[in-house]
Amino acid sequence: MSHLPCGRRARVLFLVAGAFVALVLSGAPARARTPADMAVIAWQLDELISLDPAEAYEFAGAEIAANVYDRLVYYNIDAPEEILGGIAERWDIGADGRTYTFHIRDGVRFQSGNPVTALDAAWSLQRVVLLNKGPAFILTQLGLTPDTVARRVRAVDERTLVLETDRPFAPSFVLNGLGSWVSSVLDRQTVLAHEENGDLGNGWLKTHTAGSGPFSLGVWRPNEMVLLNRFEGYWQGAPAMKRVALRHVPESAPQRLMLEKGDADIARNLSPDDQAALARNPAITVRRVPQSALYYLGLNQKNPILARPEVREALKWLIDYEGIERNILQGSKKPHQTFLPEGFPGALADTPYHLDLERARALLAQAGLADGFSVTMDVRNTYPTADVAQVIQATWAKVGIHLEILPGDNKQTLTRYRARQHDIYIGRWAPDYLDPHGNAQGFAWNPDNSDTSPTTLLAWRNNWVIPDLTARTEAALVEPDSGVRRQRYQDLQRAVLADSPYVIMFQDINVIAERVGVTGFAVGPNFDVVYYRAIRKDSGS
Amino acid sequence: MGRFRAPGRGFWGGLAAVPVTVLGLLLVTFVIGRVIPVDPALGLVGDRASADALAAARTGLGLDLPLWRQFLAYLGAVARGDLGMSVLTGRPVLEDVARVFPATLELATLATVLGVGLGVPAGVVAAARRGTWIDHGLRVVGLLGYSVPVFWLGLMGLLLFYARLDWVPGPGRLDVLYEGLVEPRTGLLVVDALLAGEGEVARNALAHLILPASILGLFSVASIARMTRALMLDQLRQEYITTARLKGLSEARVLWGHALGNAAVPLLTVIVLSYASLLEGSVLTEIVFSWPGLGFYITNSLLNADMNAVLGGTLVVGAVFIGLNLLSDGLYRVLDPRTRPP
């Protein structure tokens, strides 16, 4: 082996090192804070799977669809009970209660330049049913099937779309479904140009967009970023921001640093500690928007102990709602005990339960369980679920209930829950669209409790046989009078609150931290009601 | 430099064992992935989907077939260069891996350059000044490199060099301003930017690289310095060193030429293995720096029961390990005459 003379080697080494340092330092001035016409949002984006509205079933996918596509109708973000016109400027409901006629707005164009017609809207809805992906149930529950959808959803002419449901439903229920992300209107010609093997363009639309919304997809690199470009020809006026960048920043601390440095305008996954720190920073504002997700315990009624009404009630008195909120959740969730979250039409804010050990002991004694009992709980092993479960375990031990925690990752616990193998499941439930039926169906509807039931929602998973509540849920679904319908849902909430195998504990809060001067980031109560169109940045933000 | 000699029979034997090793790796990963009590179809259809939609998704993923048929089907697809679709990203795994691996390659390569550039001299100096404050100081630095959690170190690095001093840019591979300016060709941002003649973008990408690479590099420095010191001490006890000194060679020549030259052979294995382990991806560093690399991809896929992605990632990691091991083995035989067959 030969060697360079030492002096020469050292010189080479220093030269290489010097060149490297110079190159790195010269990189420093090339950095820039976010441009004035670009909004940068730091967010956990790792669950984004598909951008196809007929398939997207995660928060990020639905949110992006909300900004890339239009819908026939929209929820009013400030008053979700009110439905506003979207692509449809108006609509009529037939006397049979089944026929909806939508009149499509004139002059609206897709980002491709193609005009938006009733044909596009009808095809988009048909496509959801034909593809029958995860979120298709929002439309198929209207009685639309792959066999009937072409007949029941049709374009009469370029400006008129007719939709027929299989039976009369509450109009608000139908319109709320059409106001969800799955009902996005696609550019039929563009999508079909990319169809492969009869997939209705699904393969292409997973990673591309073809809409008429205020933004179009520029770049999507999974687990890295999504870049949206402004659509100058948007029918409601072009957005103020030329580009919106969603940057995947999985950890809270880097999100906070980026926000403070001005490398992000908005941060969305801040830990309570970082929120508290930012609250003292005059350059940052933090706001909290209640979200639709609920945190609850599901008590499997197949377990004879949990099937006793006194035990079900006792467990509701054995949760330290305020203590958990104060010490663990710290502003990221708030106590909520009814099955309709705040922000939903007809939601009740009643919170009758609080930690009351004596009352719980008395109820357990009534149930013949004065000495307590043993039970297991399937727990997702991440914050805050695992932390909340541990507090519950400690609290229950005070009345003799031995709670064994069975930790697992989300899909493990969910697989056991869906197979009804749990005693108690602690989990999260988020409705998919802004209509009270979504949660009423989830919590208070179980038409078939057999193992082969085609529906596997929460009442089924917890083996809760409830013919009366099931009938009342179905009655509310078809109630045409919105006032009566609201009352029906409030009655249902009271019934479930009084006695059910659910201990509903908390409602999610979306904590949004923004740089001062950033305005217009509209966040509604559901994940598909988040809009970037009005985002503005004053100078200095 | 020694004369090039062909690798020995052991090398070819090792090469022949590669398919068996890869097959075993895939089989073990596949079986573990299928026996864990998780339904991968849930990720596709969501919590709310009907039993029919869930069953259709399971059929679509081939989960209704017997395990051995699933594995054979997978092997057949792999042989055709098809690693399947990722449930989590909705894209072909091969495409995903081709995107995330260069990010890890960039990081690991720079970290290894730093590790070798600092670790080897540090180890040599520590061995030459054994027992002095320099030796103790370097050992303490090495100990820190081993014992401080990378997660904490990464955050502290961001806090100091990004938030306070403003020397380096924040998390991510590039500032948003430069996004979309360079068409990906190799996936290595710095290289792609240079190929495209975008000097600004290349500098920005390099600036983004320096902090995470330094954090990772510290761990390489620690292990390489420690090994260099041990190997150098071993060499410095040899008689040929005494002979060299008696011949009047300068101490620098003895250290950097003779002792390091002989220590370099086993050191090469250490460096190659350190590089290989960095190419697995460093999950925590990638999370802290929002770096879309292989480690983060595999971990995220694993947490979401995305078994095609896990298998694809495992295959790449396995191939990297096997390839670098063979390379190290080959180089070892080329560089060290004693390992050659007579």
Side-chain angles (χ1 to χ4, degrees), chain B residues 36-103:
Chain B
I36 52 173
V38 175
D39 190 346
L42 268 181
L44 271 184
V45 298
D47 179 23
R48 190 74 182 271
S50 66
D52 286 349
L54 186 62
R58 299 192 86 248
T59 308
L61 292 173
L63 298 174
D64 53 340
L65 297 172
L67 201 61
W68 64 271
R69 279 189 60 190
Q70 290 181 40
F71 185 61
L72 284 185
Y74 181 74
L75 282 186
V78 170
R80 294 191 301 276
D82 176 11
L83 297 182
M85 296 290 288
S86 160
V87 174
L88 201 57
T89 66
R91 301 177 187 215
V93 171
L94 202 60
E95 196 181 292
D96 280 346
V97 170
R99 190 187 64 254
V100 297
F101 187 64

Side-chain angles (χ1 to χ4, degrees), chain A residues 440-459:
Chain A
Q441 189 188 33
F443 284 93
W445 183 76
N446 188 9
D448 176 1
N449 197 47
S450 70
D451 285 342
T452 54
S453 170
T455 54
T456 56
L457 298 177
L458 304 187

Side-chain angles (χ1 to χ4, degrees), chain B residues 200-214:
Chain B
E200 283 272 293
V201 181
R203 277 202 297 279
N204 185 259
L206 189 60
H208 272 269
L209 196 54
I210 189 68
L211 185 58
S214 301

